[in-house]
Amino acid sequence: MNLKKWVVSGVIAFILYMLFLRLTDAGFIANFIAYISLFVIAGQGWNLLGGYIGEISFGHAVFFGIGAYTVGLPVGYKLDINLLLLVLLGALMAGIFALIISYPLLRVQGFPFLVGTYGLGVVIRSIVVVTPALFATRGIFISTYSKNFTYPLIIGFAIAVVIFVQWLVNQDLGLRFKAVRDVPTAARMIGINIYKTKASAFVIGAMLTGLAGGLFALYGGFVNPSACFGDNTSIFILLGPYIGGIGSVLGALFGSTIVIILQEVARSVITVNGGHYLMVGALLVVVMMLSKEGIYPGIVKLVKKIKNAYQKRQGE
Amino acid sequence: MAILEVRDLKKSFGGLEVFAGVNISIEKDQIYGIIGTNGAGKTTLFNIICGVLRADQGSVLFNGEDISKKPTHKIAELGIGRCFQTVMPFKSMTPLENVRVARATAGKKNKEREKFSIDEIMEITNLTDKMHIKTQELSLPDKKNVEIARALACNPEIILFDEVSCGLSGEEIYSRMELMKKLSKMGITVVVVEHIMLFIKEICDQVSVLHSGKVICSGTPQEVARDAGVIEAYLGGKSNENIGS
């Protein structure tokens, strides 16, 4: 699908959502789609590093939290700053933090990188929890915009982010990401600076995740350490692209949608505290057994197989 | 002045001494062959030239500049291209994308040396019809062509070919020999590591033979084939004018 089709599809999706929002008066499903969209944005950010560079981060909640707290803190300190501006500033702050932390973190790769990002998440959450200046565990209430403004805003950003990532991965920079993932030695041999390329993906991805965090603050009207910097947030950010199809924009989109829907369905079915994780975990196991590349590439392969078999049969 | 010079290169892996003072000098626009038995260090030499490995001692000069401490990507930007013994195309990309990304990185830095457009690269590497197919779905010869195309897209001054004929049919080998001759005529210096002596004898202007950590002989392919030390190393002393042919 070329970029023009992505843009047209995005515009249609936005119009349909607006109609739905108007018809249902911002009801549960409209709310839920906005919630899913937050993880779609964050998942696309994670996918830039995890899917297109191949470095699995287990601490993207840090960037989500920075985005959310960049919106929350000025409100907590009663500073009169435009919330939308703060959302954008949150993305920028997450990017700056990623740039700083990329220097030590991206010196390692593979499992040490995963552990490093997890450790980063633990450290930052702990700092927020014990720092009164950051409102510690109390969290911050945000008097946000109306649902009729916030939800379309989130959907609009989600569509824009998906289109942006699809555009980016087909640009020279995106091709560099894939080159580094595919064969780092050969990538160096065509003049690619591995560290700078990884850092670019890390920073852009962190900005997108930070954007999701800022929008989350507007969506929920409340930020606290466990919701924004928690392990669960990191897990659900990475599970979407992982289950949907790592290194694929549509895969990450489907995956984030499926994971969040399943989580909510499981939460309503399994009433035991934390029991819904059982269902999400089971899904992960099933997906990894059936299609290690994820649901979307699995479906694409299956369709191709059926198509080939059909064409072969027609030929006979 | 030599375009590429290796001076007194020493390299060991633990207790194994791979190079004990290797000296090679490659003139511009030559097709230069490097041969040696298995484990002689031919690929290691390429790795050191490209900055993938560091030498313990000695230096590598490219156009008179010492590049032995430079990182690989900077060496590529200076104009050294490479094709690997084990093919390493960017498999998730199409051949066109492989070439595009190379043109946008080292190729961009060396724009003034551009000899081929992307379309021309696709044509001379026989990839025009396959340029939109995922590289992982291509055959081995096509994957090797993708590597050559990618190296050309960097606008290099010199290309290091590491056993580029390995796993190819006679016809495919011949087409690569013709391509190398063409590149040399167009002002791209070619360095070839090969096992097939006929390949070396057919296209190389100069050859160096690596053996036991040293260059035991350098000269034209004919001189090398007559050298007693080379015959000893390859055939254990039995003289043969047509070594490996």
Side-chain angles (χ1 to χ4, degrees), chain B residues 2-54:
Chain B
I3 185 171
L4 185 69
E5 206 174 342
V6 174
R7 281 187 191 164
D8 196 27
L9 204 70
K10 290 180 182 166
K11 176 74 184 171
S12 298
F13 294 111
L16 178 71
E17 189 178 50
V18 182
F19 298 135
V22 164
N23 290 286
I24 290 174
S25 179
I26 299 167
E27 297 295 321
K28 199 166 165 37
D29 303 342
Q30 271 186 343
I31 302 184
Y32 199 97
I34 295 171
I35 61 170
T37 49
N38 277 340
K42 304 180 292 290
T43 300
T44 303
L45 180 65
F46 274 8
N47 281 337
I48 290 173
I49 291 170
C50 296
V52 176
L53 289 174
R54 294 272 173 242

Side-chain angles (χ1 to χ4, degrees), chain A residues 30-258:
Chain A
N31 174 327
F32 191 49
I33 293 172
Y35 182 67
I36 288 171
S37 299
L38 293 172
F39 282 88
V40 166
I41 298 170
Q44 294 292 343
W46 182 92
N47 203 29
L48 277 180
L49 184 72
Y52 288 96
I53 289 282
E55 294 294 355
I56 306 297
S57 161
F58 214 79
H60 256 50
V62 167
F63 309 117
F64 190 88
I66 288 173
Y69 269 68
T70 304
V71 175
L73 281 175
V75 174
Y77 282 104
K78 299 187 177 12
L79 301 173
D80 188 22
I81 303 175
N82 183 290
L83 290 178
L84 258 181
L85 189 71
L86 289 176
V87 169
L88 298 177
L89 194 65
L92 186 67
M93 294 298 284
I96 291 169
F97 183 73
L99 184 65
I100 295 165
I101 209 73
S102 72
Y103 190 76
L105 262 185
L106 290 173
R107 301 282 145 184
V108 294
Q109 50 198 339
F111 192 68
F113 178 79
L114 187 150
V115 174
T117 49
Y118 176 73
L120 177 73
V122 172
V123 169
I124 300 295
R125 187 175 64 250
S126 303
I127 290 171
V128 176
V129 164
V130 298
T131 308
L134 299 174
F135 296 85
T137 51
R138 282 183 295 139
I140 308 158
F141 284 96
I142 301 155
S143 80
T144 181
Y145 302 116
S146 75
K147 291 173 182 176
N148 285 324
F149 178 76
T150 308
Y151 293 175
L153 182 75
I154 293 169
I155 303 296
F157 268 118
I159 291 168
V161 163
V162 169
I163 294 169
F164 166 72
V165 173
Q166 176 61 25
W167 170 81
L168 179 70
V169 297
N170 287 301
Q171 299 306 299
D172 293 338
L173 182 61
L175 294 180
R176 268 181 239 160
F177 293 168
K178 295 181 207 172
V180 167
R181 177 194 61 193
D182 284 359
V183 199
T185 307
R188 284 191 190 98
M189 218 38 257
I190 60 163
I192 294 177
N193 182 324
I194 302 281
Y195 168 72
K196 275 189 184 167
T197 307
K198 282 186 178 180
S200 305
F202 193 43
V203 170
I204 298 169
M207 288 178 81
L208 297 183
T209 309
L211 176 69
L215 292 169
F216 172 79
L218 294 191
Y219 169 85
F222 179 67
V223 293
N224 72 354
S226 66
C228 301
F229 291 98
D231 285 345
N232 287 346
T233 307
S234 281
I235 290 169
F236 282 104
I237 289 172
L238 83 84
L239 268 189
Y242 222 97
I243 287 178
I246 201 163
S248 150
V249 174
L250 275 179
L253 175 64
F254 287 146
S256 300
T257 307
I258 289 166

Side-chain angles (χ1 to χ4, degrees), chain A residues 251-268:
Chain A
L253 175 64
F254 287 146
S256 300
T257 307
I258 289 166
V259 166
I260 301 301
I261 289 174
L262 193 84
Q263 187 199 196
E264 290 310 309
V265 170
R267 216 194 286 268
S268 62

Side-chain angles (χ1 to χ4, degrees), chain B residues 69-80:
Chain B
K69 299 279 186 292
K70 285 189 184 292
T72 304
H73 68 275
K74 289 282 177 197
I75 292 170
E77 283 176 358
L78 286 173
I80 298 181

